[in-house]
Amino acid sequence: MSYQDDLHHELRALSRGRGVLEQGLARRLGPLTRQLSAVSAVDPDPTARQRLHLALTELMVDLEAEVRAAAELALAFDARSGDHLMARARFYAKRAHCSERTARRRMNEAIAALAQAGARDQSTAPVDPGSGWRVRSFTSLMRLDSAAVELYETRVLLAEREISEVQIELDIPSTADPAGPPPGVDVHVVYGARIVSVDRDDDGHHYRLSLALPRPLSTGDQQEFCLHYRVRPGTPVRNHCAIVPLAPCDHGRIRVRFPEGRAPASIWQVTAVPPRRMDAATTVPGAARLDLDGAGEVMVAFRALRQGHGYGVAWLP
């Protein structure tokens, strides 16, 4: 079956009984629904319900109002409509002035439309299939304990065709104060490459670096290089450090070092999150909690990272 068919099957199963109000919600979600909503299988019900609601509500934005209402009832977003699916169908039939059979059909069609929106969302995850290289390993160190926030990124590239330059992208958050200093970072190569150009979008939040390699690489050649980013004063910093690989990435490791005596209230791991779910996944604490070590650091590692999906560490101050 296709991704859309599989997701449709999972959402139909989720709609049964009390829908999203069932206990043990995270365990009831299928793998595609968990991935779509960034829910871990061990998330407590309130966390799973909140993340699922955010994710599915985003998918419903482009649905017609009546289809959206039918989908919300099918999944029991509104507990007042009745606990069980049949009760929700009766509620919908009364509100829409139709038979219960028609109500069930419309609710099923709404779930199908939701699965179609999920498949469309999945297909638009950013990737760069023509880069000509893959990342054999990626390591990142974010230092929050220095005078300015610093980020070190080290990559080992494997050429899949002849290349002499690579492009790296970086996103920083928008500033909360429009009258404040312009957002930005200073970028330097520590070793292994040379900066050819740095392009920045007009809003100053998205950077695209072109790097010249020390020598042209042939298919199968490897090259390691390290970049150093220093956040300029006044630039806000998100409470997460993540990589969203646009090229294939085999191994990833992210370390965050916190200031002494300023441990976050909560730290958790973020794994394979689609771009539209990153805000929810990095602001609502997940079940994969992390603890600081004796050096005030956390480290997470990943294998076979999915292109266009987010991996990293998030925290609440």
Side-chain angles (χ1 to χ4, degrees), residues 212-259:
L213 302 176
R215 59 182 177 84
L217 301 183
S218 299
T219 302
D221 289 346
Q222 296 192 48
Q223 174 64 41
E224 179 177 330
F225 64 87
C226 178
L227 299 176
H228 173 228
Y229 305 92
R230 182 182 182 277
V231 178
R232 296 174 189 164
T235 300
V237 177
R238 293 187 180 101
N239 291 327
H240 71 266
C241 179
I243 175 179
V244 180
L246 305 185
C249 184
D250 298 332
H251 303 276
R253 186 174 64 202
I254 295 175
R255 184 186 302 271
V256 181
R257 182 177 176 89
F258 293 90

Side-chain angles (χ1 to χ4, degrees), residues 29-42:
L29 300 182
L32 299 184
T33 310
R34 280 204 303 270
Q35 180 187 90
L36 191 67
S37 54
V39 171
S40 164
V42 294

Side-chain angles (χ1 to χ4, degrees), residues 85-251:
L85 181 58
M86 294 302 295
R88 299 197 300 274
R90 287 193 294 271
F91 180 91
Y92 181 77
K94 182 177 180 180
R95 194 179 71 177
H97 305 290
C98 64
S99 67
E100 289 186 27
R101 181 177 180 180
T102 299
R104 290 195 299 272
R105 176 177 56 79
R106 291 180 182 176
M107 291 164 72
N108 289 337
E109 290 173 347
I111 289 179
L114 187 59
Q116 184 178 33
R120 187 167 54 247
D121 181 72
Q122 181 76 8
S123 67
T124 57
V127 298
D128 183 9
S131 62
W133 48 272
R134 68 185 303 114
V135 180
R136 290 288 294 157
S137 69
F138 171 91
T139 59
S140 173
L141 167 63
M142 187 178 205
R143 292 196 58 182
L144 302 175
D145 65 332
S146 52
V149 175
E150 296 179 279
L151 177 66
Y152 293 85
E153 292 184 345
T154 303
R155 292 171 173 84
V156 177
L157 305 187
L158 174 67
E160 297 183 326
R161 59 173 171 80
E162 292 189 0
I163 57 172
S164 58
E165 289 191 7
V166 296
Q167 281 71 49
I168 303 296
E169 300 190 23
L170 175 73
D171 284 300
I172 59 174
S174 56
T175 179
D177 181 8
V185 296
D186 297 316
V187 186
H188 305 280
V189 173
V190 180
Y191 62 83
R194 178 174 54 83
I195 295 178
V196 176
S197 63
V198 178
D199 296 323
R200 188 177 74 173
D201 287 354
D202 292 339
D203 61 7
H205 308 310
H206 183 77
Y207 288 75
R208 186 176 295 103
L209 285 65
S210 292
L211 303 177
L213 302 176
R215 59 182 177 84
L217 301 183
S218 299
T219 302
D221 289 346
Q222 296 192 48
Q223 174 64 41
E224 179 177 330
F225 64 87
C226 178
L227 299 176
H228 173 228
Y229 305 92
R230 182 182 182 277
V231 178
R232 296 174 189 164
T235 300
V237 177
R238 293 187 180 101
N239 291 327
H240 71 266
C241 179
I243 175 179
V244 180
L246 305 185
C249 184
D250 298 332
H251 303 276

